[in-house]
Amino acid sequence: MNNSKYRGVVVPMVTPVTQDGRLDVGAVKRIIDFFAHSGVSPLLMGTTGEGNSVSQADGQLFVETAVKAADGRIRIYAGLTGNCFAEQVHQAEVYTALGADVIVATLPTYYALTEEQMYEYYKTLADCITGPLMLYNILATTHMSIPVDVIKRLADHPNIVGLKDSERDLERMAQCIEIAKGRDDFAYFCGWAAQSAHSLELGGNGIVPSTGNFVPAMFQQLFDAAVSGDMETANRLQDETNEIAKIYQKDRTLGQSLTALKVMMQTKGLCEPWMLMPLTRLSMFEERAITLKAQAI
């Protein structure tokens, strides 16, 4: 692990909404406080946070509310998605002005991009925004993978501070961690929750587990154990959190799993399981089954 100030557990926070699709401000405050008490930071409007479905107005309200609720206790990472570059730059600047600490951007997804187009997109975005930028590679939703060579080039940009990599490829993970090693200006965050302990053992800087919405303290304990060299404890916690993840992920699409995750969070009084279109709630029968399993933990 390097000495980057960007490290630790960053939970890809759900976006809590009301039945009519509006941001649930009260729930945002509760979840942020829940995270802060566990020592973990949120990534707002990532994949788990239905980032592509959040309106610009609600995105701004989300960041503003989260920053105020955090009150300097934890960092705020703000996700950036979309296909209009000018709007992305505008949103990034608004988020930074509102107090977001880092902008985390996925690739635009309408067109298949060449390696050089990916490089130019991130370089230009980093040149145009005020706040620090983190790359976000997620093949499952963008249907593109940022090549390791492109990441190497981008790591030298003074305003690009790290990579959140959610691609399920162990060889790639090791290569990307190597890029970050030995430097304090570029960090590696593992977005493949089931490999959290392994990525930290290899020298990664942080982890981004969606199950952290439900058990943030367990992931903070996993992180602390791994960085202290106690891999026995870290691997035990990895196995335990993997089992918890199955409650909302097993036999479900990504979108369905996010709904199920909110059902689990409802058992802790954090939010209700309403979703932004095109995602929808599960059946009452499914929600009841998930609730019973979550309450048993």
Side-chain angles (χ1 to χ4, degrees):
M1 183 181 295
N2 59 32
N3 294 316
S4 170
K5 68 177 181 178
Y6 303 109
R7 63 195 301 272
V9 182
V10 177
V11 177
M13 179 176 161
V14 302
T15 297
V17 295
T18 58
Q19 186 173 0
D20 61 0
R22 298 188 182 191
L23 186 72
D24 188 336
V25 172
V28 171
K29 294 176 182 177
R30 289 193 296 274
I31 297 169
I32 292 294
D33 198 51
F34 180 51
F35 286 1
H37 280 297
S38 299
V40 307
S41 294
L43 165 59
L44 313 181
M45 297 172 287
T47 303
T48 304
E50 303 169 76
N52 275 296
S53 304
V54 179
S55 70
Q56 286 196 3
D58 270 350
Q60 293 172 22
L61 178 60
F62 197 178
V63 173
E64 181 179 22
T65 304
V67 168
K68 288 180 179 178
D71 194 25
R73 294 176 291 172
I74 50 179
R75 283 198 175 91
I76 303 295
Y77 294 74
L80 194 67
T81 60
N83 292 311
C84 176
F85 186 76
E87 289 180 359
Q88 285 186 301
V89 171
H90 172 73
Q91 283 295 91
E93 291 298 81
V94 171
Y95 294 162
T96 300
L98 289 171
D101 297 290
V102 188
I103 301 299
V104 187
T106 59
L107 285 169
T109 59
Y110 190 80
Y111 299 106
L113 304 177
T114 66
E115 291 189 16
E116 197 60 28
Q117 286 170 333
M118 293 182 199
Y119 172 80
E120 287 296 332
Y121 165 73
Y122 278 118
K123 178 186 179 299
T124 308
L125 183 60
D127 288 342
C128 289
I129 67 175
T130 308
L133 175 66
M134 187 170 286
L135 316 175
Y136 182 177
N137 180 66
I138 178 162
L139 175 63
T141 58
T142 65
H143 309 293
M144 289 180 282
S145 175
I146 308 169
V148 174
D149 287 344
V150 171
I151 292 166
K152 280 181 183 175
R153 293 169 65 194
L154 291 167
D156 291 330
H157 192 290
N159 200 34
I160 295 178
V161 298
L163 165 71
K164 185 220 166 183
D165 196 1
S166 297
E167 191 160 337
R168 300 189 172 200
D169 183 328
L170 289 173
E171 182 179 355
R172 175 195 169 86
M173 175 193 294
Q175 291 172 342
C176 289
I177 290 173
E178 283 300 316
I179 294 172
K181 276 186 179 177
R183 55 191 302 168
D184 58 10
D185 59 348
F186 189 81
Y188 175 87
F189 281 77
C190 177
W192 182 4
Q195 295 295 331
S196 295
H198 179 60
S199 71
L200 295 169
E201 186 175 22
L202 291 179
N205 299 88
I207 54 177
V208 192
S210 59
T211 310
N213 279 282
F214 186 67
V215 285
M218 288 183 72
F219 282 99
Q220 185 58 48
Q221 292 163 11
L222 186 159
F223 177 84
D224 290 339
V227 298
S228 68
D230 182 5
M231 290 310 301
E232 182 180 354
T233 298
N235 287 323
R236 174 181 59 79
L237 288 165
Q238 181 73 77
D239 291 340
E240 291 175 5
T241 55
N242 287 350
E243 287 303 308
I244 294 171
K246 289 178 183 177
I247 297 173
Y248 69 97
Q249 292 176 349
K250 191 174 185 331
D251 298 325
R252 294 189 176 92
T253 65
L254 175 56
Q256 289 173 325
S257 75
L258 303 183
T259 316
L261 178 56
K262 287 185 181 179
V263 173
M264 293 177 69
M265 295 174 71
Q266 187 180 36
T267 67
K268 294 189 174 185
L270 295 169
C271 67
E272 295 185 8
W274 300 110
M275 304 299 289
L276 293 168
M277 290 291 290
L279 300 183
T280 55
R281 287 182 66 158
L282 301 172
S283 69
M284 289 179 62
F285 174 80
E286 288 178 284
E287 289 191 5
R288 180 60 180 161
I290 294 164
T291 296
L292 291 173
K293 290 180 180 178
Q295 289 174 334
I297 294 173

